[in-house]
Amino acid sequence: MKAIGAQKFATFALSIFLVTGLAACGGQNVPPPAAKTEPAPQTGKAAKEAWEVEFEKTVEAAKQEGEVAIIGPAATSREQLMAEFEKAYPGIKVKYVGMRPSMAVPKILAEQQQGKYLTDILIEGGQQIAFDLYPAGATDDVRKFIVFPDIKDDSHWHLGYEAGYSMANNTGQFVFAVLALPNVHINNDVIPEGEITSFQDLLDPKWKGKMVLQDFSKQAQGHGLLSALAATEGKDFVLKLLEQKPLILDDPRQIVEAYATGKYPIGLGLDNAKLRQFKDQGVIKKSGKLQPPKSEMLSTFPIGVFKNQPHPNATKVFINWFLSKEGQSKFVELTRETQSRRNDVPPSPSPDVRGWDKIDYKTSNLEKGGLEAAKWVTELSKTYFTK
């Protein structure tokens, strides 16, 4: 018992010693051991935004689909553009079919009536969607496919992001590029510069039989030009212009050939890409454009989506790439035929394409005035070609 008492006393004495020792050190408390903490969550530039995570998943799903099916103009430049997309997103192939949008309409409608959905996207077929596909419920809304915040940024688009939809009359398409209308090509190897200075000059009897016009019974360049002239110069002007007996051809190359060789030195509805080929070959040296001081009407170049896409993820990937700075830069570089609405891409390298400084936009070929004029030209063609 004495031994136990001595042990308790020693323990008590040690406690007193520790307390007094701590007091002598200034009364500082000994801090408890540091608690273990988890690493802070990743923030800043290294963190991925929600849209990036979503898009990465979309890309992987698109690779599983393997391809995206697109209809657009039958042009080498468009095929080159598709190859650029395939470089940007390996594993997603583009099944590209080049055909006139007017030919695509009956194909798509017939397929959908049979419950077949074989194509995802239509590019540069604005009036076909506005006239036929959208009213038939054959299309989807591009808005649903936009993921990149960059695309929705107003500062990146001339007239703003929303104008891409309103310029297409809110038919679910998005207008990414434009071409100023109306314009008429003048072969200055044959007709000296300055001899024709206004559209009214084209009605001079001396130009009768000196014009070539693309068949305007189809919704292509000839139809688009006459529609623009009807909207800006008036329907009576178009009727008088047709009294000048233009040579009407369907094949775009034959039209440019007739113009470039000088027999028909006034070109109505020429294909700019094919005209450039004749310039490069030296067949024509001087070719000018008759245009108003500032163009108030625009021919629009939209991208549209068919309903029930067979490759919805690949469709989303293509649309976001195509409307991005990279995609639009490639489009302008390769096609050279239009002015992109994006402010952060270089202007068209072609001097034939009017820049925004010469455009005073009032309407487009897909808005009310333009659509009404286009419908009038379509009805006119039914009587003109049956005479």
Side-chain angles (χ1 to χ4, degrees):
M1 294 293 293
K2 290 183 179 179
I4 294 175
Q7 185 178 3
K8 286 183 177 181
F9 178 80
T11 302
F12 175 75
L14 178 62
S15 298
I16 295 298
F17 174 79
L18 289 174
V19 170
T20 55
L22 288 173
C25 293
Q28 295 178 355
N29 294 323
V30 177
K36 292 184 178 179
T37 57
E38 296 296 327
Q42 195 176 22
T43 59
K45 293 183 179 179
K48 289 185 178 179
E49 301 285 347
W51 70 267
E52 292 178 290
V53 175
E54 175 193 347
F55 193 68
E56 285 180 356
K57 292 178 180 178
T58 301
V59 171
E60 291 305 311
K63 290 178 180 178
Q64 293 299 314
E65 293 170 349
E67 66 178 23
V68 57
I70 301 174
I71 292 177
T76 302
S77 59
R78 305 310 190 273
E79 294 172 357
Q80 293 172 333
L81 183 67
M82 302 306 144
E84 291 297 328
F85 169 75
E86 291 179 347
K87 289 180 187 176
Y89 292 95
I92 309 173
K93 295 293 183 183
V94 179
K95 184 180 179 182
Y96 186 78
V97 178
M99 67 166 62
R100 287 182 180 177
S102 57
M103 296 173 63
V105 168
K107 172 183 181 296
I108 294 300
L109 291 178
E111 288 174 353
Q112 291 195 3
Q113 287 169 3
Q114 299 172 36
K116 298 178 181 178
Y117 300 93
L118 308 177
T119 309
D120 300 294
I121 294 171
L122 178 67
I123 58 172
E124 302 172 64
Q127 287 193 338
Q128 284 69 34
I129 289 182
F131 282 155
D132 304 302
L133 298 172
Y134 177 75
T139 56
D140 210 331
D141 193 329
V142 171
R143 289 179 188 273
K144 292 162 52 176
F145 297 84
I146 305 298
V147 178
F148 291 178
D150 162 79
I151 295 174
K152 298 177 184 179
D153 187 335
D154 277 341
S155 68
H156 290 157
W157 299 97
H158 190 83
L159 305 175
Y161 169 69
E162 289 296 330
Y165 301 102
S166 62
M167 291 176 76
N169 208 28
N170 296 311
T171 53
Q173 309 174 76
F174 184 86
V175 173
F176 58 85
V178 300
L179 183 65
L181 288 178
N183 60 72
V184 172
H185 289 83
I186 308 294
N187 186 335
N188 295 135
D189 289 345
V190 178
I191 302 174
E193 293 182 42
E195 189 165 345
I196 298 177
T197 59
S198 72
F199 291 117
Q200 294 296 322
D201 290 346
L202 298 174
L203 304 182
D204 191 312
K206 70 180 178 179
W207 304 125
K208 192 170 186 176
K210 298 293 183 183
M211 305 179 188
V212 60
L213 167 66
Q214 187 182 31
D215 182 355
F216 60 95
S217 66
K218 302 178 177 66
Q219 291 173 14
Q221 282 96 336
H223 188 285
L225 173 64
L226 293 190
S227 299
L229 288 170
T232 58
E233 300 296 311
K235 296 173 183 177
D236 286 343
F237 173 84
V238 173
L239 294 174
K240 290 177 181 178
L241 186 67
L242 292 174
E243 290 176 3
Q244 293 287 65
K245 302 297 180 184
L247 172 67
I248 297 179
L249 299 172
D250 184 34
D251 183 81
R253 183 174 181 81
Q254 289 181 350
I255 297 166
V256 175
E257 185 176 305
Y259 167 79
T261 53
K263 189 173 181 180
Y264 299 92
I266 299 174
L268 309 173
L270 300 190
D271 184 296
N272 285 324
K274 289 183 170 51
L275 177 58
R276 191 162 53 249
Q277 292 174 1
F278 279 82
K279 287 180 179 178
D280 293 342
Q281 294 166 6
V283 177
I284 182 171
K285 294 181 174 61
K286 294 181 181 179
S287 178
K289 268 188 178 181
L290 175 64
Q291 300 183 92
K294 284 210 170 185
S295 300
E296 297 185 351
M297 186 172 179
L298 297 174
S299 176
T300 57
F301 291 73
I303 184 169
V305 185
F306 296 112
K307 72 175 182 180
N308 298 338
Q309 312 85 37
H311 315 100
N313 293 288
T315 296
K316 184 177 288 187
V317 174
F318 181 86
I319 288 174
N320 282 273
W321 175 83
F322 184 68
L323 297 180
S324 70
K325 179 180 179 180
E326 178 187 359
Q328 283 297 287
S329 296
K330 290 295 182 182
F331 178 82
V332 170
E333 174 190 340
L334 293 171
T335 66
R336 303 181 60 185
E337 299 161 24
T338 64
Q339 189 68 43
S340 175
R341 285 187 54 246
R342 281 201 71 124
N343 294 322
D344 53 357
V345 305
S348 171
S350 173
D352 293 333
V353 176
R354 216 163 214 195
W356 289 103
D357 60 324
K358 293 292 182 68
I359 294 173
D360 184 17
Y361 164 68
K362 295 290 191 298
T363 188
S364 78
N365 64 326
L366 295 180
E367 294 174 271
K368 184 177 179 181
L371 286 175
E372 288 178 351
K375 290 177 180 177
W376 178 81
V377 171
T378 297
E379 292 303 312
L380 174 64
S381 70
K382 294 175 182 177
T383 58
Y384 184 86
F385 290 105
T386 56
K387 290 180 180 179

